[in-house]
Amino acid sequence: MTTTETRRTARRPGLGAPAGLLVPAAAGLLFLVLPLAGLLIRAPWTTMPERLTDPEVLAALRLSLLCATLATVLCLAFGVPLAWLLARVEFPGRRLVRALITVPLVLPPVVGGIALLLVFGRRGLVGEWMDRTFGFSLPFTTTGVVIAEAFVAMPFLIIAVEGALRGADRRYEEAAATLGAGRWTTFTHVTLPLVAPGIAAGAVLGWARALGEFGATITFAGNYPGVTQTMPLAVYQTMEGGDLDGAVVLSLVLLIVSVAILAGLRDRWITAP
């Protein structure tokens, strides 16, 4: 067999794959897909337009979109500089800092909400000072929703941006410095354009994570319709009220948004060439 034929054979998907791998792979696919298919099969399609136009549902959707967007802006403002610091600067304890940044990825969201309460609550480490000085409290407010969502979403953005920075060709930055560009000019005119796809991917993934946040939000901000009740919380309340069809409809909205985001990212930023 020639080299060309060997390459063509290697590119044929599934050729020569052992049954010992195909069977569990198919089972794993079914395990992940069947629950999603269950949502589509059990969805009350005939009453869906009426349910989606319910004022409480629209209020929860608007609040979810607003808070997820504001949380993403907050993540960008603090996450991009932090990712640059981790990728470009050698300093003592950098591994520890990176580990601490990734903690929210594995921390139960409810625990994250309790931690936020201990810091930003009215008797918290920072919240007590804020309440005493400015008469302002974060818990159980719309701003508290944004804070909770940013807390769980920021690691996604930082990891994506740090990976993009590490993979970027630093010769362009060195050339800009040689030509007399300052550090800030190099960062804004060279570095940011180089890693823009990574920033965009991290921002979109962070936005999707913020949109689906539940545990930290309900613990730190509560579940008040029109104020802190986002779509995941509305799903929970509808389910608790015994309205399974209503919970399915709300879940479908979140599912459609998630699939649309991942489909948009699929070929551009998160798959290997």
Side-chain angles (χ1 to χ4, degrees), residues 173-272:
E173 296 172 321
E174 295 170 356
T178 302
L179 294 173
R183 292 183 178 180
W184 179 251
T185 302
T186 301
F187 175 73
T188 56
H189 289 73
V190 179
T191 306
L192 284 182
L194 279 175
V195 300
I199 294 176
V204 173
L205 290 173
W207 185 86
R209 179 64 184 88
L211 187 69
E213 171 50 33
F214 174 81
T217 302
I218 197 171
T219 307
F220 182 63
N223 184 19
Y224 299 103
V227 180
T228 65
Q229 188 180 83
T230 57
M231 287 291 285
L233 273 63
V235 172
Y236 172 76
Q237 179 173 297
T238 305
M239 189 72 177
E240 285 289 295
D243 186 4
L244 178 59
D245 288 345
V248 170
V249 170
L250 297 178
S251 300
L252 273 178
V253 174
L254 294 175
L255 174 62
I256 291 171
V257 171
S258 301
V259 171
I261 289 171
L262 293 177
L265 288 176
R266 180 191 59 188
D267 292 329
R268 187 170 301 177
W269 294 313
I270 63 174
T271 57

Side-chain angles (χ1 to χ4, degrees), residues 67-68 70-72 74-75 78 100-117 119-120 143-158 206 209-210 213 215-217 220:
C67 291
L70 293 177
T72 303
L74 196 63
C75 291
F78 296 104
L100 292 175
I101 288 171
T102 57
V103 165
L105 292 175
V106 296
L107 190 70
V110 174
V111 177
I114 294 174
L116 289 172
L117 276 175
V119 175
F120 296 110
T143 305
V145 177
V146 175
I147 297 299
E149 291 181 351
F151 176 76
V152 299
M154 193 178 295
F156 288 87
L157 182 136
I158 293 174
R209 179 64 184 88
E213 171 50 33
T217 302
F220 182 63

Side-chain angles (χ1 to χ4, degrees), residues 83-94:
W84 180 88
L85 185 70
L86 292 173
R88 290 286 192 265
V89 180
E90 293 281 351
F91 59 90
R94 185 170 68 167

Side-chain angles (χ1 to χ4, degrees), residues 109-160:
V110 174
V111 177
I114 294 174
L116 289 172
L117 276 175
L118 294 177
V119 175
F120 296 110
R122 288 188 175 181
R123 296 295 179 264
L125 299 176
V126 178
E128 185 175 6
W129 171 81
M130 292 174 58
D131 189 31
R132 184 175 61 251
T133 306
F134 304 104
F136 180 72
S137 181
L138 286 175
F140 311 108
T141 64
T142 303
T143 305
V145 177
V146 175
I147 297 299
E149 291 181 351
F151 176 76
V152 299
M154 193 178 295
F156 288 87
L157 182 136
I158 293 174
I159 291 174

Side-chain angles (χ1 to χ4, degrees), residues 39-54 57-58 244-256:
L39 282 175
L40 296 174
I41 295 171
R42 292 292 304 273
W45 298 104
T46 55
T47 61
M48 185 171 294
E50 179 183 352
R51 292 178 180 275
L52 289 177
T53 54
D54 183 88
V57 173
L58 293 177
L244 178 59
D245 288 345
V248 170
V249 170
L250 297 178
S251 300
L252 273 178
V253 174
L254 294 175
L255 174 62
I256 291 171

